[in-house]
Amino acid sequence: MRTKDFKSVALKYKTIFFDAFGVLKNHKGIIPGVEKTFDFLDENGINYFVVTNDSSRGPEGLADGYIRRGIKSITPDKIISSGMLARDWLSLKIKEGTVAYLGTGDSAHYVETAGLDTLAIRDLDLEDIDHIKCLVFLDDEGFDWNQDINKVINLLRKRNMPVVVANTDIHYPVSKNDVAVAIGGISDLVEEVLGKKFIRFGKPDAQMFMFAYERACEMKPVKKNEILMVGDTLYTDIIGGNKFGVDTALVLSGNTLPEMAKVRITSSGIIPNFICDSVIID
Amino acid sequence: MRTKDFKSVALKYKTIFFDAFGVLKNHKGIIPGVEKTFDFLDENGINYFVVTNDSSRGPEGLADGYIRRGIKSITPDKIISSGMLARDWLSLKIKEGTVAYLGTGDSAHYVETAGLDTLAIRDLDLEDIDHIKCLVFLDDEGFDWNQDINKVINLLRKRNMPVVVANTDIHYPVSKNDVAVAIGGISDLVEEVLGKKFIRFGKPDAQMFMFAYERACEMKPVKKNEILMVGDTLYTDIIGGNKFGVDTALVLSGNTLPEMAKVRITSSGIIPNFICDSVIID
Amino acid sequence: MRTKDFKSVALKYKTIFFDAFGVLKNHKGIIPGVEKTFDFLDENGINYFVVTNDSSRGPEGLADGYIRRGIKSITPDKIISSGMLARDWLSLKIKEGTVAYLGTGDSAHYVETAGLDTLAIRDLDLEDIDHIKCLVFLDDEGFDWNQDINKVINLLRKRNMPVVVANTDIHYPVSKNDVAVAIGGISDLVEEVLGKKFIRFGKPDAQMFMFAYERACEMKPVKKNEILMVGDTLYTDIIGGNKFGVDTALVLSGNTLPEMAKVRITSSGIIPNFICDSVIID
Amino acid sequence: MRTKDFKSVALKYKTIFFDAFGVLKNHKGIIPGVEKTFDFLDENGINYFVVTNDSSRGPEGLADGYIRRGIKSITPDKIISSGMLARDWLSLKIKEGTVAYLGTGDSAHYVETAGLDTLAIRDLDLEDIDHIKCLVFLDDEGFDWNQDINKVINLLRKRNMPVVVANTDIHYPVSKNDVAVAIGGISDLVEEVLGKKFIRFGKPDAQMFMFAYERACEMKPVKKNEILMVGDTLYTDIIGGNKFGVDTALVLSGNTLPEMAKVRITSSGIIPNFICDSVIID
């Protein structure tokens, strides 16, 4: 499988959307050399955004992770997270009452900035639920799975309410070889037990790309065919980008291993415009 | 289950999106009295669009069905079909070559107006496929299912190419009691056999609502909370509208029977803002 | 929906298979009056078995729950549990090494009686896994979900081995209104994250009914059409019994509520031979 | 991936179950040299059966295909087809009335030998369905897909009845490179449209293996660990055999290509006891 140099690919576009895990970061943190890629983009007037299914913290928190590691140009306004879609949805649709959530206090940021009262599921009393207007799945950490997953199921059996999943990913890497179940996977289990349908935000869904596109256009008008989506996962980044109508580049620095790329593209029918080893520019 | 009068609901909004089947039409044609609803909306300055998973003919053809039955205000620019999303996608992503399709000649309109050459699957020679750049599922009519479904499967086994499904519906009504498999159902079978992932357009996907929203804003700027989506199906119209952030009204004149509405809402967790018997205004 | 008296139904058969939860027991314990049903069966020479997706304890432990509540005739040889199929499978297929498990010490009984060494996942060292030959999902209790579910996923990523699910149920009742995720639901989540296929034991699978049928024939030869399966769940007890070729009776004392029985039978196409309010005989 | 010589593997067992397509046959007919394998098994007193998801014709018709090509020892009593399970089920459960079917006249053999009246769906009058007691999916040929698939859907909407699928395969090979949708795939589409659950017979289901096991034991008692299942497909032959408790050998002459075997075993977690290039003995 022949790969292309990321530099030559990047120069064809005015705006680039980057997935985070497997593209800019891995289990050890920022991939060494990524800062030079952003210098290169800045020098060439190419705009960029990080488009991530990560609702574990707000855009400031997410940006801070890049800035502290020397990529000063990834400011909070460059971050598009699935949590932001959840926050906007809550602002628009939930007018009053309390929003219950599964996740850390950091992740509850998205509910709070929507101007709503929050209640961690662990603090919920199942006998006093009339004021709960919505449930949000935010992060896989910050709660006891045994207790709180069952509590969520019984809350939703007692009271019909909208349920929002702020990150559709099923798992995420935690070390070189290990993964952990993500909140999207936990929400799938709850959906299966209940037979209900939740409202889900995150790639590959078009709403995520639309949100990023609108943000990009606010900064500098751009056409869809002038945008490149760069990701390591065919089933989220690439099919999502393809469907939204932007070009796509698969990088082999994350989920899709170099020796499997060809097989996976053929068997899935999900075809990126380009394949690059990584986003590193030599 | 208490229902609301559609008139009083409609007056709360500036723009209304209507599903077609089960809301404006049924197996006998336009539902009697619907023309008065549109007169009422016109008189009250409420804008409206028909938002439909129908790619069997172009917007002119679809509008014509309303105009000929006396609803003159549903002009082609009021029609938003999933076929139009497929057409825009083809314009953006397929630059040259031939697009093979399953469907009628009428449905091929969407490919032709994207400026591309079309080839019905029945006319395809499986030994001469290098020029085929894309396959589109358009309509369940106009081809021999035995022969052409198998031909599509073998085409996609021989050559990896993007595949677009222009209507995600699985079935549609053909008479009072009878239904027929829709092209979305046929595409599910082909996807299952191949294990590939296709690009699908249609409600409940956000892209469909975004397209309608952009068209609405071009005519007259409107906010999401000033829009109502009216539909007869929880799993497409209502969950799609809810997720996009507009308000929703379920009507009981189609897929969701009056005696089942409460059970279905509770068991699915898909909650409309309003329930109305129909869109008829007395 | 007209129901039949259980007495008149029971008299048509030589052997009856009873589901446990929702038929003989509920969240409060044995359903009052059930002991008279077993007296009646004994008096009329009708043989019976409890056929249950329960691998939380061995047949002695399960029988003990009935005996202590006065149903002395439900001895361990009357119990057919999905855990027993798992145990037989382990005896047949795993010759040496250690079997890792998720569940309580009680549930590990099934592995121990297969003559194999057991290791609770919490005690597993992911750096020392060469001796682990098989993983078994036994019970939803006895472990920390956050930690041990992720540990199982990483064990199976590091080493390819057979995985057995000893209970396919997704949830089970814990009180009048509340349910809890069962180990079958947890195994679904792990299967989804890994994309692997596990070996699953439990109704509606035919192997469960075959096992019960063989046990019944050992005691007293019986033909399939002389057997009745009694259950509260269409998707496990009834479809499983129908497919295996025995007659089936749906009772309305558990999962399937009286007011929903007709709708559920029509919409699922799963048709019991009889519907009874409960197994209680007046 | 190291493969073993089939001869040395076969000698370890008393009875061998062979899948048909991809193991004994391919698109050109019987794989050359297979006759010598059966001579070898006969010489060594190893019993064998063909265990196939094929309900296109009766056991006599299926055996005839081997006999005419010189494998005289594959007599009808050596054939175990999923159609035979369907036939036994019909004998047991349908006492009177007519069984409607999708398939060829040859495939209807299974219904006729159950002593029941048959009616091809094309000959069904949807206004006269009171005498139809059951529907069977038998073969993908012998009917018009457009018309008769929709007719089946409307039959099942009008009248709730048991539905039997006599072959769960989704597709089958028709030439070196081409496949066709099998009746199992068509039944999946109908199930999806209706939301109903059908009764399905065929590998990997345990009932198929139980049926073969009982037949084998009638001829000559044998233990499960003295039986080998030989197949080309991990998801039917191998996982089914593994679960039933017999040993399994994957051959690389059909669905699973030599270069993909290792990847597929690792990613699926379905582990055969042996891998052989084919069943050919040199």
Side-chain angles (χ1 to χ4, degrees):
Chain A
M1 177 121 266
R2 250 221 318 245
T3 59
K4 282 233 169 187
D5 179 47
F6 183 69
K7 194 182 200 168
S8 67
V9 171
L11 286 169
K12 298 174 196 285
Y13 296 91
K14 292 196 176 162
T15 292
I16 300 182
F17 295 163
F18 290 97
D19 178 35
F21 269 118
V23 178
L24 306 180
K25 306 196 234 181
N26 61 23
H27 62 281
K28 292 187 196 155
I30 303 295
I31 296 175
V34 159
E35 63 283 2
K36 283 186 201 151
T37 299
F38 287 95
D39 291 345
F40 173 82
L41 297 176
D42 285 336
E43 283 159 22
N44 286 276
I46 300 169
N47 202 3
Y48 45 83
F49 297 88
V50 178
V51 180
T52 178
N53 286 0
D54 188 340
S55 51
S56 68
R57 52 188 53 86
E60 291 75 16
L62 292 170
D64 196 48
Y66 295 94
I67 294 167
R68 279 188 302 149
R69 275 167 193 85
I71 311 186
K72 305 223 179 309
S73 55
I74 301 189
T75 44
D77 60 330
K78 297 289 195 184
I79 303 281
I80 311 293
S81 77
S82 52
M84 292 158 72
L85 268 81
R87 183 199 59 203
D88 281 12
W89 188 91
L90 292 167
S91 297
L92 201 57
K93 298 287 284 184
I94 309 297
K95 298 298 174 205
E96 36 123 51
T98 300
V99 174
Y101 71 93
L102 277 182
T104 60
D106 270 356
S107 67
H109 162 93
Y110 287 111
V111 184
E112 288 153 11
T113 54
L116 294 159
D117 291 337
T118 62
L119 185 68
I121 285 293
R122 77 171 156 273
D123 298 329
L124 176 80
D125 175 359
L126 277 174
E127 301 304 313
D128 174 24
I129 60 174
D130 285 356
H131 60 119
I132 309 295
K133 301 301 180 198
C134 181
L135 174 80
V136 188
F137 287 86
L138 286 165
D139 197 4
D140 62 292
E141 298 189 336
F143 62 96
D144 181 90
W145 290 13
N146 300 45
Q147 246 182 327
D148 290 352
I149 293 174
N150 283 331
K151 212 167 168 187
V152 156
I153 288 168
N154 290 305
L155 168 65
L156 296 176
R157 282 166 55 95
K158 282 187 213 307
R159 190 177 164 85
N160 204 11
M161 64 180 74
V163 179
V164 171
V165 181
N167 169 3
T168 50
D169 285 354
I170 293 169
H171 60 90
Y172 64 99
V174 291
S175 71
K176 187 169 175 232
N177 295 309
D178 291 355
V179 301
V181 176
I183 190 68
I186 291 172
S187 74
D188 286 350
L189 173 58
V190 175
E191 231 183 5
E192 186 196 8
V193 168
L194 293 167
K196 300 201 174 201
K197 285 290 277 183
F198 301 160
I199 292 174
R200 301 171 162 275
F201 293 111
K203 293 172 285 177
D205 190 72
Q207 222 156 336
M208 190 81 180
F209 289 90
M210 178 53 68
F211 193 93
Y213 181 57
E214 286 176 355
R215 173 72 63 86
C217 287
E218 280 166 22
M219 291 201 185
K220 190 161 63 174
V222 63
K223 289 179 194 152
K224 283 189 182 179
N225 62 13
E226 297 167 337
I227 297 176
L228 180 71
M229 171 74 212
V230 181
D232 70 325
T233 309
L234 289 170
Y235 286 90
T236 53
D237 308 311
I238 306 304
I239 198 175
N242 282 351
K243 184 181 165 198
F244 185 64
V246 299
D247 281 357
T248 53
L250 178 73
V251 291
L252 307 178
S253 50
N255 260 332
T256 308
L257 301 177
E259 62 272 25
M260 291 302 294
K262 198 179 167 186
V263 166
R264 296 237 185 276
I265 290 169
T266 305
S267 68
S268 68
I270 304 170
I271 312 168
N273 295 80
F274 304 99
I275 302 172
C276 301
D277 290 316
S278 75
V279 300
I280 303 304
I281 287 173
D282 299 310
Chain B
M1 178 120 265
R2 249 222 318 248
T3 60
K4 283 233 168 187
D5 179 47
F6 183 68
K7 196 181 196 169
S8 66
V9 171
L11 285 169
K12 299 175 196 284
Y13 297 92
K14 293 197 176 160
T15 292
I16 300 183
F17 295 163
F18 290 98
D19 179 34
F21 269 117
V23 179
L24 306 180
K25 305 195 236 183
N26 61 23
H27 61 281
K28 291 188 197 153
I30 303 295
I31 296 175
V34 160
E35 64 283 1
K36 283 187 203 150
T37 299
F38 286 96
D39 290 344
F40 173 82
L41 298 176
D42 285 336
E43 282 158 23
N44 287 277
I46 300 169
N47 202 2
Y48 44 84
F49 296 89
V50 178
V51 180
T52 177
N53 285 0
D54 188 341
S55 51
S56 67
R57 52 187 55 84
E60 290 76 15
L62 292 170
D64 197 48
Y66 295 93
I67 294 169
R68 279 188 302 149
R69 275 167 194 84
I71 312 185
K72 302 225 181 309
S73 54
I74 301 189
T75 45
D77 60 330
K78 296 290 196 184
I79 303 282
I80 311 292
S81 78
S82 53
M84 291 159 71
L85 269 81
R87 183 199 59 202
D88 281 12
W89 189 91
L90 292 168
S91 296
L92 203 56
K93 299 288 285 187
I94 308 296
K95 297 299 175 205
E96 36 122 49
T98 300
V99 174
Y101 71 93
L102 278 182
T104 60
D106 270 357
S107 67
H109 163 95
Y110 287 110
V111 184
E112 287 153 11
T113 54
L116 294 160
D117 291 335
T118 61
L119 185 67
I121 286 293
R122 77 172 158 272
D123 297 328
L124 177 79
D125 174 0
L126 277 174
E127 301 304 313
D128 174 24
I129 59 174
D130 285 355
H131 60 119
I132 308 295
K133 301 303 179 196
C134 181
L135 174 80
V136 188
F137 286 86
L138 287 165
D139 195 5
D140 62 293
E141 298 189 337
F143 62 94
D144 180 90
W145 289 14
N146 301 46
Q147 244 182 328
D148 290 352
I149 292 173
N150 283 331
K151 212 167 167 187
V152 156
I153 288 168
N154 289 305
L155 168 66
L156 296 176
R157 283 167 54 96
K158 282 186 213 307
R159 190 178 164 85
N160 205 10
M161 65 179 75
V163 178
V164 172
V165 181
N167 169 4
T168 49
D169 286 355
I170 293 168
H171 60 89
Y172 64 101
V174 290
S175 71
K176 190 173 172 227
N177 295 308
D178 292 355
V179 302
V181 176
I183 191 68
I186 291 173
S187 73
D188 287 350
L189 172 59
V190 174
E191 232 182 4
E192 185 196 10
V193 168
L194 292 168
K196 300 201 174 200
K197 285 291 275 183
F198 301 160
I199 292 173
R200 301 172 161 275
F201 293 110
K203 291 173 286 179
D205 190 73
Q207 221 156 337
M208 189 82 179
F209 290 89
M210 179 51 68
F211 193 92
Y213 182 57
E214 285 176 355
R215 172 72 62 86
C217 288
E218 280 165 23
M219 291 200 186
K220 189 160 63 173
V222 63
K223 288 179 195 154
K224 282 188 181 179
N225 60 13
E226 297 168 337
I227 297 176
L228 179 72
M229 172 75 213
V230 181
D232 69 326
T233 310
L234 289 170
Y235 286 91
T236 54
D237 307 311
I238 305 305
I239 198 175
N242 283 351
K243 184 180 166 198
F244 186 64
V246 299
D247 281 358
T248 52
L250 178 72
V251 290
L252 306 177
S253 49
N255 260 331
T256 308
L257 301 177
E259 63 271 25
M260 291 300 295
K262 200 179 165 188
V263 167
R264 296 236 184 279
I265 289 168
T266 305
S267 67
S268 68
I270 304 170
I271 312 168
N273 296 79
F274 305 99
I275 304 173
C276 301
D277 289 317
S278 74
V279 299
I280 303 302
I281 288 173
D282 298 313
Chain C
M1 178 122 266
R2 251 223 316 250
T3 60
K4 284 233 166 187
D5 179 46
F6 183 68
K7 196 181 198 170
S8 66
V9 171
L11 286 169
K12 299 174 196 284
Y13 297 92
K14 293 197 176 160
T15 292
I16 301 183
F17 296 164
F18 290 97
D19 179 34
F21 269 116
V23 179
L24 307 179
K25 307 195 233 181
N26 62 23
H27 62 280
K28 291 188 197 152
I30 304 295
I31 296 175
V34 159
E35 63 284 1
K36 284 186 200 151
T37 299
F38 286 95
D39 292 344
F40 174 82
L41 297 177
D42 285 336
E43 284 158 23
N44 286 278
I46 299 169
N47 202 2
Y48 45 83
F49 296 89
V50 178
V51 180
T52 176
N53 286 359
D54 187 340
S55 52
S56 67
R57 53 187 53 85
E60 290 76 16
L62 291 170
D64 197 48
Y66 295 95
I67 294 167
R68 280 188 302 149
R69 274 168 194 85
I71 312 185
K72 303 225 180 306
S73 55
I74 301 190
T75 44
D77 60 331
K78 297 288 197 186
I79 303 281
I80 311 291
S81 78
S82 53
M84 292 159 71
L85 269 81
R87 183 200 59 202
D88 282 12
W89 189 92
L90 292 168
S91 296
L92 202 59
K93 299 287 286 185
I94 308 296
K95 298 300 172 203
E96 36 123 51
T98 301
V99 174
Y101 71 93
L102 277 183
T104 60
D106 271 356
S107 67
H109 163 94
Y110 287 111
V111 184
E112 287 153 11
T113 54
L116 294 161
D117 291 337
T118 61
L119 185 66
I121 284 293
R122 75 171 159 272
D123 297 328
L124 176 81
D125 175 359
L126 277 175
E127 300 304 312
D128 173 25
I129 60 174
D130 285 356
H131 60 119
I132 309 294
K133 301 301 180 197
C134 182
L135 174 80
V136 188
F137 287 86
L138 287 165
D139 196 5
D140 62 293
E141 298 189 336
F143 61 95
D144 181 90
W145 289 13
N146 300 45
Q147 244 181 329
D148 290 352
I149 293 174
N150 283 331
K151 213 167 166 186
V152 157
I153 288 167
N154 290 306
L155 168 65
L156 296 175
R157 284 167 53 96
K158 282 187 212 309
R159 190 176 164 87
N160 204 11
M161 65 180 72
V163 179
V164 171
V165 181
N167 168 3
T168 49
D169 285 355
I170 293 168
H171 59 90
Y172 64 99
V174 291
S175 72
K176 187 168 175 235
N177 295 308
D178 290 355
V179 301
V181 176
I183 190 68
I186 291 173
S187 74
D188 286 350
L189 172 58
V190 175
E191 230 182 5
E192 185 196 10
V193 168
L194 292 168
K196 299 200 175 203
K197 283 293 274 182
F198 301 160
I199 291 174
R200 298 170 164 276
F201 293 111
K203 292 171 288 179
D205 190 72
Q207 221 156 336
M208 190 82 180
F209 289 89
M210 179 53 66
F211 194 91
Y213 182 58
E214 286 176 355
R215 172 72 63 85
C217 288
E218 281 165 23
M219 293 201 184
K220 189 160 65 171
V222 64
K223 289 179 193 153
K224 283 188 182 179
N225 61 14
E226 297 168 338
I227 298 176
L228 179 72
M229 172 75 213
V230 181
D232 70 326
T233 310
L234 289 170
Y235 286 91
T236 54
D237 308 311
I238 306 304
I239 198 175
N242 283 351
K243 184 181 165 196
F244 185 65
V246 299
D247 280 357
T248 52
L250 179 73
V251 291
L252 307 179
S253 50
N255 259 332
T256 308
L257 302 176
E259 63 270 25
M260 290 302 294
K262 199 178 165 188
V263 166
R264 296 236 184 277
I265 289 168
T266 306
S267 69
S268 68
I270 303 170
I271 312 167
N273 295 80
F274 305 99
I275 303 173
C276 302
D277 289 319
S278 73
V279 300
I280 303 304
I281 287 173
D282 298 311
Chain D
M1 177 121 265
R2 249 219 321 244
T3 60
K4 282 233 168 186
D5 181 47
F6 183 69
K7 197 181 197 168
S8 66
V9 171
L11 286 169
K12 298 174 197 283
Y13 297 91
K14 291 195 178 163
T15 293
I16 300 182
F17 295 163
F18 290 98
D19 178 35
F21 268 117
V23 178
L24 306 179
K25 305 195 235 182
N26 61 23
H27 62 281
K28 290 187 196 155
I30 304 295
I31 296 175
V34 159
E35 63 283 1
K36 284 186 198 150
T37 298
F38 286 95
D39 291 344
F40 173 83
L41 298 176
D42 285 335
E43 283 158 23
N44 286 277
I46 299 168
N47 201 3
Y48 45 84
F49 296 88
V50 178
V51 180
T52 177
N53 286 0
D54 188 340
S55 51
S56 67
R57 53 186 53 86
E60 291 76 15
L62 291 170
D64 197 50
Y66 295 95
I67 293 169
R68 280 189 300 149
R69 274 167 193 86
I71 311 186
K72 303 225 178 309
S73 55
I74 301 189
T75 44
D77 60 330
K78 297 289 196 185
I79 302 283
I80 311 292
S81 78
S82 53
M84 292 159 71
L85 270 82
R87 183 200 59 203
D88 282 12
W89 188 92
L90 291 168
S91 295
L92 202 58
K93 299 287 285 184
I94 307 297
K95 298 300 174 203
E96 36 122 49
T98 300
V99 174
Y101 71 93
L102 277 182
T104 59
D106 271 356
S107 67
H109 163 94
Y110 287 110
V111 184
E112 287 152 12
T113 55
L116 293 161
D117 291 336
T118 60
L119 185 67
I121 285 293
R122 75 170 158 272
D123 297 328
L124 177 80
D125 174 359
L126 277 174
E127 300 305 313
D128 173 24
I129 60 173
D130 285 355
H131 60 118
I132 309 294
K133 300 303 180 197
C134 180
L135 175 80
V136 188
F137 286 86
L138 287 165
D139 196 6
D140 61 292
E141 298 189 337
F143 62 96
D144 181 89
W145 290 13
N146 299 46
Q147 243 180 329
D148 290 353
I149 293 174
N150 283 331
K151 213 166 166 187
V152 157
I153 288 167
N154 290 305
L155 168 65
L156 296 175
R157 283 167 55 97
K158 281 187 213 307
R159 190 177 164 83
N160 204 11
M161 65 179 75
V163 179
V164 171
V165 181
N167 169 3
T168 49
D169 286 354
I170 293 168
H171 60 88
Y172 64 99
V174 290
S175 71
K176 190 172 173 231
N177 295 308
D178 291 354
V179 301
V181 176
I183 190 69
I186 291 172
S187 74
D188 287 350
L189 172 59
V190 175
E191 232 182 5
E192 185 195 11
V193 168
L194 292 168
K196 300 200 173 202
K197 284 292 276 183
F198 301 160
I199 292 175
R200 299 170 162 275
F201 294 111
K203 292 171 287 178
D205 189 73
Q207 221 156 336
M208 189 83 181
F209 290 89
M210 179 53 67
F211 193 93
Y213 182 57
E214 286 176 355
R215 172 72 63 84
C217 288
E218 281 166 23
M219 291 201 185
K220 191 161 62 174
V222 64
K223 289 180 194 152
K224 281 190 183 178
N225 61 13
E226 297 168 338
I227 297 177
L228 179 72
M229 172 75 212
V230 182
D232 69 325
T233 310
L234 290 170
Y235 286 91
T236 54
D237 308 310
I238 306 305
I239 199 174
N242 284 351
K243 184 180 165 199
F244 185 65
V246 299
D247 280 358
T248 52
L250 178 73
V251 291
L252 307 179
S253 50
N255 259 332
T256 309
L257 301 177
E259 63 272 24
M260 291 301 294
K262 200 180 165 186
V263 166
R264 296 238 184 278
I265 289 168
T266 306
S267 68
S268 68
I270 304 170
I271 312 169
N273 296 80
F274 305 100
I275 303 173
C276 301
D277 289 317
S278 74
V279 299
I280 303 304
I281 287 173
D282 300 312

